[in-house]
Amino acid sequence: MNKYKGLGFFHYGVFVSLVLSAVFAYNLFYGDRQLFLPGDTTHGHHQIEMECEACHVESFESGEPMQQACLSCHADALDKARDTHPKKKFTDPRNADLLANLDATQCITCHIEHSPEITGEFGVTLPEDFCFYCHQNIAEERPTHKEFEFDSCSDSGCHSYHDNRALYEQFLQKHINKPEVLDKRKSLVPNGLSLWKKKHSEQLPLTLKQHDAGSLFAASADVDGIVQQWANSGHAQANVNCGSCHANEQGETVGDLALEVDSCTNCHERQSQGFKQGLHGMRIGADLSAMQVSNAKLDMHESAAHQELTCSSCHDPHQPDLKAAALESCLGCHNDEHSNNYVGSAHATLYEQELEGQIEQGQGVSCATCHMPRTKKGKSVFVEHNQSLTLEPNSKMLRPVCMNCHGLEFSTAALADKELIMRNFSGEFDSEHPSFNMVRTRLEEKRKRKLERKKDRANQ
Ligand code: HEC
Ligand code: HEC
Ligand code: HEC
Ligand code: HEC
Ligand code: HEC
Ligand code: HEC
Ligand code: HEC
Ligand code: HEC
Ligand code: HEC
Ligand code: HEC
């Protein structure tokens, strides 16, 4: 009897857990996934947090599938950053014992999710002094570091864990004692259109009369106005007709086609790739609907809340204007202190002067100059559309942006000053950075040793 009762109880337990897991599965796939989130997701990922499968590929256990998921979105950027601590550094037998303290081959050793109470800047979930585990001996190797605490290694302008492209000693030595503002500043200007015209010199720009709009657009639309705009655009110059974007599979121009990023990707692969890898396009990159401005955590204008992020958020598809994209479009959505303080800054004044033709093209500084820097590859100058690539840690901006116009120390010191960034680089700040004093000391020591050796040799 007792046995039977026990079994009955067992059945009941199975029943309850079946019901529970059915409810769980239902909610996970059809219902409110939020219920199963153990906690808020980090700043970088909240826009995809409901897409559990983006990280939890097969199950809710971490392991190789999750590691691969992280890499599928981040490997490119870490490669580009010439990651200082790549996996292969630790599969090297000489360093393998370091892993006993901290398995640095796994992203989630340092970046777990849904744990806001232990999440610091950049989604790091270890205590700030964790560098200690592997670099205990730094004070012995480098007397200059004797006074430093281990929670200061990654202070802005000192070291990063992944990206030290602008933060190693030789680099600082090479660029030390440069003026605050360079006399000869680099000017990069996007040249896609002019390169296209050179390559297709036989093709004349399309004119107002040559558009293939037909009569397929809705009567309510201002087709005449659109045709006018288009005729003045880079697209008409590059022989891109209405049908290039508005055609169906049969090649007929149709007006009511749902146009998405894909219609641009066909011809602008590089820009689309970048866009999808950054925060603006990450949802489209993960095959989700476009990001809604209303889901932002950063401050946005109320009036933009209904918008979503696609190519058309910054480019009027009928008359793309790079200058409007670089500033007006941004301020149409962004409404935080840093963004709003740009207006009136020294950089904004330069940009106005550029727009008015008072200074050379490329000498002004717009939002895009810093966040979507112009990048040179061979002869082509294009715009990096991954606006996260230069953002965190902000020392990533040094090489592709600030150093085109400023000395390295001035730029490093500016980027280390959070309040200055809030003021969008207006007003007083301390333009010296301690790293450079250390480098000066080391250079001075080197010079003295060289002198002594010379003296020794002369005395011999
Ligand atoms: C951007 C990647 C990402 C997304 C998206 C994501 N998670 Fe996670 N999740 C993680 C990581 C990383 C961990 C930590 C894994 C570990 O510590 O082993 C985790 C852990 C968990 C855990 C285990 C918590 C614990 O304390 O062990 C649960 C449950 C979980 N996630 C649920 C979800 C659900 C439900 C969703 C979707 C609504 C989701 N996650 C979306 C990355 C993600
Ligand atoms: C031993 C700890 C550790 C491990 C392992 C680690 N990171 Fe990081 N990560 C950090 C720290 C610290 C930062 C903060 C910025 C810095 O110092 O570079 C960071 C920053 C980041 C950032 C934001 C800044 C940037 O450089 O883009 C991303 C993205 C990132 N890590 C991804 C990854 C991925 C993907 C992996 C696995 C392949 C990984 N991390 C493994 C410690 C780690
Ligand atoms: C679908 C693509 C995608 C996946 C999957 C993904 N990330 Fe990210 N992650 C992003 C994007 C986009 C950002 C925001 C831009 C940036 O900071 O690079 C980001 C930001 C980050 C940051 C910086 C966070 C911050 O708050 O500044 C870290 C660290 C990071 N990811 C680590 C990971 C780790 C670890 C995993 C795997 C558990 C992972 N990511 C999975 C796309 C992804
Ligand atoms: C799991 C071990 C481990 C941790 C944790 C770790 N490192 Fe390293 N780090 C290494 C190893 C191994 C090297 C290579 C040492 C060498 O070549 O002498 C290295 C090299 C470096 C270098 C020199 C890079 C170069 O170009 O040679 C810097 C800078 C650095 N680490 C900074 C940091 C900072 C900052 C932290 C903490 C945010 C940190 N490391 C945490 C293992 C680690
Ligand atoms: C570079 C691609 C591209 C070209 C070339 C193009 N369009 Fe469009 N068009 C779009 C996109 C994208 C939208 C959707 C805009 C949106 O949703 O904000 C659109 C929307 C429209 C609309 C509906 C929007 C409204 O304001 O009602 C009309 C009408 C239209 N296009 C007509 C034309 C005509 C006529 C031409 C040729 C003179 C043309 N388009 C050329 C991309 C293009
Ligand atoms: C049929 C091919 C084609 C399609 C589709 C297309 N473009 Fe273009 N686009 C071009 C060419 C060719 C140029 C000139 C070369 C260049 O700048 O890369 C150009 C130039 C541009 C420019 C720079 C204009 C300038 O004044 O310098 C922008 C911005 C642009 N396109 C955005 C878009 C957007 C947004 C879409 C989707 C709505 C789109 N394009 C769809 C071919 C296309
Ligand atoms: C249609 C609205 C819209 C436009 C236009 C727009 N943004 Fe954004 N931007 C967003 C949203 C939404 C986010 C995500 C904020 C969040 O998730 O909290 C974002 C995020 C960012 C971030 C933070 C990225 C990160 O990883 O933290 C930067 C930097 C940024 N935008 C710069 C720009 C610049 C520069 C321009 C103009 C060239 C611009 N944005 C145009 C809506 C917009
Ligand atoms: C957040 C705003 C923003 C979004 C979204 C955006 N762009 Fe751009 N794009 C810009 C800015 C700003 C410039 C010009 C910057 C400059 O002149 O310094 C530009 C320049 C361009 C150019 C001409 C320069 C070059 O790189 O050849 C093309 C083509 C282009 N964008 C295509 C696209 C396509 C395609 C998409 C969608 C996948 C897209 N853009 C999405 C802001 C944006
Ligand atoms: C001189 C370079 C520069 C200019 C110009 C600039 N920014 Fe920034 N922006 C930065 C830096 C540096 C950061 C901080 C990155 C960090 O440390 O987190 C930043 C951060 C941001 C962020 C993220 C804010 C947050 O709280 O996470 C947004 C959004 C942004 N900028 C938008 C803009 C817009 C919009 C404009 C133009 C109106 C603009 N920026 C002009 C350099 C610049
Ligand atoms: C295209 C050139 C250019 C780029 C890129 C640029 N700047 Fe500047 N910046 C200038 C010039 C020129 C001035 C001096 C303006 C003046 O004196 O009127 C200036 C001024 C400044 C000032 C002083 C502002 C003031 O109110 O006195 C700071 C701080 C600054 N820049 C920081 C930066 C940082 C940090 C970066 C990189 C994120 C950067 N700049 C990128 C050209 C540039």
Side-chain angles (χ1 to χ4, degrees), residues 192-193 196 235 238 240 244-245 263-264 267-268 311 315 317 320 322:
L193 189 55
W196 189 92
H235 279 141
V240 179
S244 309
C245 299
S263 72
C264 317
C267 300
H268 298 295
C311 310
H315 300 294
L322 302 191

Side-chain angles (χ1 to χ4, degrees), residues 23-129:
V23 170
F24 180 83
Y26 174 82
N27 270 296
L28 210 45
F29 293 102
Y30 305 105
D32 189 1
R33 293 176 157 208
Q34 189 101 44
L35 284 176
F36 297 95
L37 264 183
D40 284 346
T41 311
T42 50
H43 166 79
H45 293 145
H46 79 93
Q47 291 281 2
I48 52 161
E49 80 178 358
M50 285 307 132
E51 196 56 20
C52 317
E53 301 87 337
C55 302
H56 299 286
V57 184
E58 287 162 6
S59 66
F60 280 89
E61 274 159 41
S62 46
E64 202 44 33
M66 185 182 264
Q67 176 77 5
Q68 289 308 321
C70 311
L71 288 172
S72 70
C73 293
H74 289 291
D76 269 4
L78 288 175
D79 274 356
K80 270 191 202 152
R82 287 196 245 125
D83 191 359
T84 301
H85 298 89
K87 187 172 179 177
K88 63 173 187 292
K89 196 166 241 175
F90 299 103
T91 44
D92 181 334
R94 282 167 299 174
N95 293 330
D97 58 324
L98 294 174
L99 297 182
N101 300 323
L102 200 80
D103 184 359
T105 62
Q106 296 297 310
C107 312
I108 61 161
T109 302
C110 307
H111 301 290
I112 60 169
E113 264 302 349
H114 326 303
S115 304
E117 61 298 342
I118 55 163
T119 305
E121 256 193 314
F122 315 119
V124 179
T125 46
L126 286 180
E128 279 178 28
D129 57 0

Side-chain angles (χ1 to χ4, degrees), residues 303-378:
S303 54
H306 65 284
Q307 286 192 37
E308 44 178 42
L309 264 149
T310 68
C311 310
S312 310
S313 314
C314 304
H315 300 294
D316 179 340
H318 300 124
Q319 195 170 25
D321 170 355
L322 302 191
K323 305 231 153 60
L327 172 59
E328 277 164 43
S329 77
C330 321
L331 287 179
C333 290
H334 287 281
N335 189 24
D336 56 280
E337 207 181 329
H338 159 87
S339 300
N340 292 331
N341 280 339
Y342 168 82
V343 182
S345 68
H347 287 146
T349 309
L350 287 170
Y351 191 56
E352 277 162 31
Q353 290 169 349
E354 177 184 331
L355 292 183
E356 282 163 17
Q358 294 163 359
I359 55 172
E360 201 187 319
Q361 287 243 344
Q363 293 289 308
V365 182
S366 66
C367 313
T369 308
C370 294
H371 292 292
M372 300 176 65
R374 298 166 179 181
T375 309
K376 198 165 180 185
K377 211 169 205 175

Side-chain angles (χ1 to χ4, degrees), residues 144-145 148 157-158 169 172-173 175-177 408-410 412-413 430-446:
T144 45
H145 285 54
F148 297 150
C158 297
E169 190 175 350
L172 305 195
Q173 282 185 8
H175 296 279
I176 203 151
N177 299 337
L408 180 60
E409 180 167 13
F410 176 83
T412 308
D430 178 0
S431 59
E432 285 180 10
H433 191 281
S435 293
F436 292 80
N437 290 332
M438 282 156 62
V439 171
R440 278 187 204 100
T441 311
R442 297 256 294 183
L443 283 172
E444 182 58 20
E445 284 166 8
K446 236 196 219 165

Side-chain angles (χ1 to χ4, degrees), residues 200-458:
H200 301 84
S201 53
E202 77 293 353
Q203 296 201 28
L204 293 172
L206 294 171
T207 64
L208 209 55
K209 290 187 191 132
Q210 290 168 310
H211 67 82
D212 60 2
S215 54
L216 288 152
F217 291 98
S220 59
D222 176 16
V223 176
D224 288 345
I226 287 175
V227 170
Q228 285 280 357
Q229 291 182 330
W230 163 84
N232 290 319
S233 73
H235 279 141
Q237 297 202 40
N239 270 50
V240 179
N241 213 325
C242 319
S244 309
C245 299
H246 288 283
N248 63 14
E249 278 169 8
Q250 286 74 48
E252 300 155 337
T253 302
V254 285
D256 55 356
L257 209 65
L259 282 174
E260 290 173 7
V261 171
D262 285 347
S263 72
C264 317
T265 307
N266 295 334
C267 300
H268 298 295
E269 176 73 35
R270 193 184 259 162
Q271 289 80 2
S272 301
Q273 276 303 329
F275 171 70
K276 289 176 189 172
Q277 283 167 357
L279 195 61
H280 280 149
M282 78 185 300
R283 286 188 52 93
I284 291 178
D287 284 331
L288 303 171
S289 58
M291 184 189 293
Q292 299 285 326
V293 173
S294 55
N295 287 342
K297 290 198 174 156
L298 296 175
D299 292 334
M300 301 282 154
H301 285 288
E302 230 4 89
S303 54
H306 65 284
Q307 286 192 37
E308 44 178 42
L309 264 149
T310 68
C311 310
S312 310
S313 314
C314 304
H315 300 294
D316 179 340
H318 300 124
Q319 195 170 25
D321 170 355
L322 302 191
K323 305 231 153 60
L327 172 59
E328 277 164 43
S329 77
C330 321
L331 287 179
C333 290
H334 287 281
N335 189 24
D336 56 280
E337 207 181 329
H338 159 87
S339 300
N340 292 331
N341 280 339
Y342 168 82
V343 182
S345 68
H347 287 146
T349 309
L350 287 170
Y351 191 56
E352 277 162 31
Q353 290 169 349
E354 177 184 331
L355 292 183
E356 282 163 17
Q358 294 163 359
I359 55 172
E360 201 187 319
Q361 287 243 344
Q363 293 289 308
V365 182
S366 66
C367 313
T369 308
C370 294
H371 292 292
M372 300 176 65
R374 298 166 179 181
T375 309
K376 198 165 180 185
K377 211 169 205 175
K379 278 196 183 137
S380 139
V381 178
F382 64 96
V383 172
E384 175 52 69
H385 274 65
N386 176 352
Q387 98 291 13
S388 301
L389 210 58
T390 53
L391 197 64
E392 292 181 334
N394 65 33
S395 55
K396 287 184 170 185
M397 251 180 220
L398 289 167
R399 284 173 79 131
V401 184
C402 316
M403 287 181 71
N404 290 329
C405 302
H406 294 288
L408 180 60
E409 180 167 13
F410 176 83
S411 313
T412 308
L415 289 174
D417 186 335
K418 286 208 157 99
E419 284 174 20
L420 182 71
I421 298 177
M422 240 357 145
R423 300 195 302 268
N424 219 310
F425 305 96
S426 282
E428 295 288 302
F429 77 107
D430 178 0
S431 59
E432 285 180 10
H433 191 281
S435 293
F436 292 80
N437 290 332
M438 282 156 62
V439 171
R440 278 187 204 100
T441 311
R442 297 256 294 183
L443 283 172
E444 182 58 20
E445 284 166 8
K446 236 196 219 165
R447 199 185 60 86
K448 273 192 196 145
R449 278 201 302 273
K450 217 168 159 189
L451 217 70
E452 274 162 22
R453 275 202 300 272
K454 226 177 178 177
K455 261 196 221 147
D456 285 350
R457 250 177 282 148

